[in-house]
Amino acid sequence: MRLAEGCSGQLEVYYKGTWGNVCFNQIDTYTTSLICQQLNCGTSGTVSSTGSRLKGAPNWLDNFKCRPHDSTLWQCPSAYWGEKKCDEDEVATITCKRMKENLALKGTATQSSQYNAAGAAGKAIDGKRNAKFSDHSCTHTERDSKPWWKVDLHNVYAVTSVTITNRGDCCAQRINGAEIRIGNSLDDNGNQNPLCAVITSIPAGNSRTFQCNGMTGRYVNVVLPRPDFLTLCEVEVNGYLMIFFPSES
């Protein structure tokens, strides 16, 4: 299940290999709030009905309404899949009151090697954009053949953007050419997952945001495809949770 624009837009569900609509019928305030919470888009929102943005898309779900004791979306009752009574202009559109959250703060970081005690992988997800390595807030690998850093988000998210803070007291050019990769594979430690962006450069001590446009994955990697040291002073990941729940076969 997803909202078409991340944390707002038409409510859509994937079934039988196709994205389709969820009908507006019976979606109330509690259901809307649970959808926003489950998608990591805040705690509440508003719902309205509009025409489908997906031309010719099926209306997969109707009479979808969560009860006060439902804590996850898959517990919420609905009509049978594909059994709908809504028209094309009765597609549910939701706008969540989103609070921006750095998903990396809840993750677990690892890296290809560690230069010394001050350069642990977790330093890049400590919530600080401190760009001074001597303040123990940046990672640092050895000079590896292909140094990498990875955060496990512990769930599959649609990643909208990744923000990198570069070291400010030395060697800013080391980040040049690093790749941001997002996906679910751990082959090559996740370094072969789909590419979000290549970091051409980030000025010393600065932060730069890279748009990933909803790429899905559990792992976010920063990998340098050449022999060098890799230092990251903060990695922030923004996105929303991908919801999967049982459907009628």
Side-chain angles (χ1 to χ4, degrees), residues 30-236:
Y30 180 77
T31 305
T32 301
S33 296
L34 189 57
I35 289 168
C36 292
Q37 291 168 36
Q38 292 274 278
L39 291 176
N40 197 50
C41 289
T43 59
S44 63
T46 58
V47 62
S48 60
S49 63
T50 59
S52 175
R53 78 180 186 95
L54 299 173
K55 193 169 184 178
N59 291 336
W60 283 135
L61 272 183
D62 196 4
N63 297 329
F64 182 62
K65 184 177 181 179
C66 300
R67 302 156 297 190
H69 62 272
D70 293 329
S71 57
T72 59
L73 292 177
W74 66 265
Q75 294 175 317
C76 304
S78 70
Y80 288 112
W81 289 86
E83 187 178 288
K84 52 87 179 179
K85 298 178 181 178
C86 61
D87 296 325
E88 288 299 319
D89 60 350
E90 295 180 325
V91 174
T93 296
I94 290 176
T95 301
C96 296
K97 297 176 182 177
R98 184 182 182 190
M99 296 189 309
K100 191 174 181 181
E101 180 182 9
N102 177 10
L103 304 174
L105 295 176
K106 299 178 180 178
T108 302
T110 53
Q111 60 187 359
S112 54
S113 63
Q114 187 170 313
Y115 182 75
N116 60 21
K123 301 295 184 179
I125 54 171
D126 61 1
K128 305 172 185 175
R129 289 188 177 183
N130 187 335
K132 192 174 181 181
F133 179 74
S134 60
D135 286 345
H136 295 196
S137 189
C138 303
T139 72
H140 201 316
T141 69
E142 297 279 3
R143 191 178 190 277
D144 297 329
S145 60
K146 187 174 73 172
W148 57 267
W149 177 95
K150 175 174 83 252
V151 60
D152 179 356
L153 301 175
H154 301 298
N155 219 322
V156 177
Y157 290 87
V159 177
T160 54
S161 65
V162 175
T163 301
I164 306 287
T165 299
N166 197 12
R167 183 173 175 176
D169 56 352
C170 170
C171 323
Q173 77 284 353
R174 287 178 180 168
I175 197 72
N176 297 357
E179 301 170 348
I180 302 172
R181 293 185 173 270
I182 298 168
N184 294 310
S185 173
L186 284 175
D187 291 346
D188 189 22
N189 296 296
N191 294 319
Q192 299 301 318
N193 278 321
L195 180 68
C196 163
V198 176
I199 303 171
T200 54
S201 65
I202 302 176
N206 284 23
S207 301
R208 183 178 171 191
T209 298
F210 302 86
Q211 300 302 321
C212 300
N213 301 315
M215 293 178 65
T216 58
R218 171 174 172 172
Y219 306 106
V220 177
N221 284 49
V222 180
V223 55
L224 199 55
R226 67 170 187 272
D228 210 333
F229 300 92
L230 177 64
T231 299
L232 303 167
C233 291
E234 194 67 16
V235 178
E236 301 163 55

